Amino acid sequence: MRQNPERRTALTDAAITVLAREGARGLTYRAVDVEADVPPGTTSNYFRNRDQLLGEVGVRVQERLSAPADVMANPQAESPSHDRVGVLLGELMGRLTAHREPYLALLELRLEATRRPDLSAALTKTVREGIDMSVDWHVAAGMPGGRAEVLLMYLALTGLTVERLTLPEVLADVTDEDVIRIIVDRVLPS
């Protein structure tokens, strides 16, 4: 199996694009090779089977959806407050809606995981680690609330993201800022 990390990342990024555009049925080694603009057979040299490719795509999606490294590295860079939580959630929604592919690919992976136990286990681990990392960061930053509140905000933002990326007209009469303000006001203690 090949070990060029940059090429492997390029292939997983190409797989994210294919998943977002074509769905899980369209995710083939050939489709990834074409999307990555690499010679035929390259993807199969890096991933021993489709399950491995799907699992690594899940990890890469989480990387691409994470907050910027400078934010994650210094949780106490700014004063903790309701307003700061709102700003951070707003920035996350901005990333998710501006760069749709990773989240749409994640939705495809979630659906595929309902049919593939190994993918379900791998994706569960990856998503759970992302949630735990968010909770740990929130607590380290001294933000109001704790694990339960972060989980509620995660679940609320997940629902908002699904609506915005799949059926944006469902909530056309409300802004992300309005919804985020409601989430923060209702979930976090005063």
Side-chain angles (χ1 to χ4, degrees):
M1 198 173 315
R2 304 289 172 131
Q3 296 302 318
N4 178 334
E6 292 82 19
R7 173 68 59 94
R8 191 177 204 86
T9 298
L11 292 169
T12 54
D13 284 340
I16 288 168
T17 299
V18 172
L19 266 176
R21 185 181 60 230
E22 307 290 332
R25 289 185 182 212
L27 184 68
T28 63
Y29 285 157
R30 186 177 192 294
V32 174
D33 288 343
V34 169
E35 186 63 38
D37 196 26
V38 296
T42 301
T43 302
S44 65
N45 287 331
Y46 279 81
F47 302 97
R48 67 182 170 272
N49 57 44
R50 194 165 186 266
D51 287 337
Q52 182 190 17
L53 175 60
L54 289 168
E56 291 193 33
V57 165
V59 171
R60 181 68 178 144
V61 163
Q62 285 299 114
E63 290 171 0
R64 288 179 57 182
L65 294 178
S66 292
D70 60 321
V71 171
M72 295 305 292
N74 192 1
Q76 296 177 340
E78 296 190 33
S79 298
S81 67
H82 281 82
D83 289 342
R84 179 72 180 135
V85 173
V87 166
L88 292 168
L89 291 179
E91 289 172 357
L92 174 58
M93 273 307 295
R95 284 194 312 276
L96 295 174
T97 55
H99 307 286
R100 303 169 43 131
E101 284 183 350
Y103 202 86
L104 291 173
L106 179 59
L107 293 175
E108 289 291 338
L109 286 171
R110 285 173 178 261
L111 290 171
E112 192 67 11
T114 66
R115 297 177 284 275
R116 295 172 170 264
D118 290 344
L119 177 59
S120 178
L123 194 57
T124 296
K125 179 181 182 291
T126 299
V127 171
R128 178 51 130 201
E129 287 172 355
I131 292 169
D132 290 344
M133 185 175 62
S134 294
V135 169
D136 292 345
W137 187 94
H138 186 91
V139 170
M143 296 293 182
R147 180 172 187 77
E149 289 77 12
V150 173
L151 289 174
L152 286 172
M153 289 186 289
Y154 165 79
L155 293 170
L157 211 60
T158 299
L160 178 60
T161 304
V162 168
E163 293 302 329
R164 290 293 190 233
L165 297 183
T166 62
L167 299 171
E169 295 305 311
V170 169
L171 297 176
D173 58 334
V174 295
T175 67
D176 291 346
E177 294 79 17
D178 291 339
V179 175
I180 289 168
R181 188 175 326 105
I182 292 167
I183 292 168
V184 172
D185 288 348
R186 300 290 196 285
V187 171
L188 293 179
S190 298

